[in-house]
Amino acid sequence: MASVLEATGLTKEFLGFVAVDNVDLSVEEGTIHALIGPNGAGKTTCFNLLTKFLQPTRGTIKYRGRDITGMAPAAIARLGLVRSFQISAVFSDLTVLENVRIALQRKRGESYDFWRSETILARLDDDARGYVDQVGLTEFCDTRAGELSYGRKRALEIATTLALEPDMLLLDEPMAGMAQADVALISALIRKIAKGRTVLMVEHNLSVVADLSDKITVLARGAILAEGDYETVSNSPAVIDAYIGAGHD
């Protein structure tokens, strides 16, 4: 399969400390690719490099063959490469529908004009309801986001991400802080929205990784330790040693 996102020699140093060390990564079209590793492995730094929230010390990043190494996060989002964040990023005082409507304003090149007339903003409602329905929040359309359960807030965040019509989704620990019931909800949602898209996710929950991922890259001390499907990486002696040595579940 063709590579959608590709990093070559990706390296990040902080005052002499190498957080990401010469990583070569290829995320293939239409797959769910997980980036995992014990605490301190460099996952978050690598993810932030790929999504351009950090600039690499060395190396290149290409998206569909285009060099995006020097581009800003907003610019790559316009190319269709859109990320979520570990902490749910929703407007708590706005309703579910209003949150998605804001994302639609951004997609259409409109400013975030909260003072626009309701008549003008209502033109976006049908599309917004469509995205709300995709993530199973239809009955909560008029509910303030701050009143949602944590799992439903994450679902809302995914709806706002989908409203940007991403070609590729990058999910930063989508299950972080969730109860088991919410984990099942969001896992099913990720599987649903991944159809026809490419997904790269950083995730600590290994049962989720095993269930969802087509390919897994394991990092340790900033470098790639192993790569392959779950059976391959879970049976790797080097991976087992890295997780046990880090005291990781």
Side-chain angles (χ1 to χ4, degrees):
M1 284 183 281
S3 174
V4 176
L5 183 66
E6 188 172 10
T8 305
L10 196 61
T11 301
K12 183 63 179 179
E13 298 176 359
F14 296 99
L15 299 175
F17 170 71
V18 182
V20 174
D21 187 6
N22 198 35
V23 165
D24 292 338
L25 180 71
S26 179
V27 182
E28 296 176 344
E29 180 95 47
T31 63
I32 300 178
H33 192 131
L35 190 61
I36 71 170
N39 291 330
K43 304 182 298 297
T44 298
T45 302
C46 187
F47 193 81
N48 285 333
L49 290 169
L50 293 170
T51 55
K52 304 318 316 302
F53 282 78
L54 284 175
Q55 283 293 337
T57 304
R58 291 183 297 279
T60 59
I61 305 166
K62 291 183 178 181
Y63 177 61
R64 296 200 175 279
R66 177 175 179 173
D67 192 332
I68 62 169
T69 310
M71 295 177 68
I76 66 166
R78 286 191 287 271
L79 295 178
L81 188 69
V82 180
R83 73 169 285 177
S84 71
F85 293 85
Q86 187 177 140
I87 299 172
S88 185
V90 298
F91 294 100
S92 295
D93 290 332
L94 299 182
T95 68
V96 166
L97 186 69
E98 288 167 341
N99 268 271
V100 179
R101 207 161 61 179
I102 287 173
L104 286 170
Q105 285 179 259
R106 175 64 188 88
K107 182 189 74 174
R108 297 181 180 188
E110 301 171 7
S111 62
Y112 300 125
D113 291 340
F114 297 99
W115 55 87
R116 286 190 174 199
S117 73
E118 187 64 25
T119 300
I120 292 175
L121 292 176
R123 297 172 186 169
L124 304 176
D125 281 356
D126 286 346
D127 286 346
R129 287 192 178 92
Y131 291 111
V132 170
D133 183 61
Q134 282 188 51
V135 300
L137 293 178
T138 300
E139 65 183 288
F140 300 98
C141 259
D142 298 320
T143 301
R144 287 176 60 254
E147 297 172 6
L148 297 175
S149 69
Y150 186 71
R152 290 190 177 115
K153 284 179 184 175
R154 297 312 298 255
L156 173 56
E157 183 185 0
I158 290 173
T160 62
T161 303
L162 292 177
L164 298 174
E165 296 186 348
D167 179 50
M168 180 173 181
L169 283 169
L170 299 108
L171 306 177
D172 188 7
E173 297 196 26
M175 311 301 170
M178 284 191 186
Q180 189 56 43
D182 285 335
V183 168
L185 170 73
I186 300 303
S187 290
L189 178 55
I190 290 172
R191 187 183 298 281
K192 176 183 175 183
I193 65 174
K195 293 178 181 178
R197 294 185 177 90
T198 304
V199 175
L200 174 66
M201 66 177 182
V202 172
E203 181 52 54
H204 279 296
N205 189 321
L206 295 185
S207 64
V208 169
V209 170
D211 180 51
L212 291 178
S213 303
D214 300 298
K215 187 176 181 180
I216 301 164
T217 298
V218 185
L219 291 181
R221 299 182 181 88
I224 292 180
L225 187 64
E227 200 165 58
D229 60 19
Y230 185 78
E231 183 177 1
T232 299
V233 300
S234 64
N235 289 319
S236 164
V239 172
I240 294 169
D241 287 346
Y243 270 84
I244 293 174
H248 195 99
D249 294 335

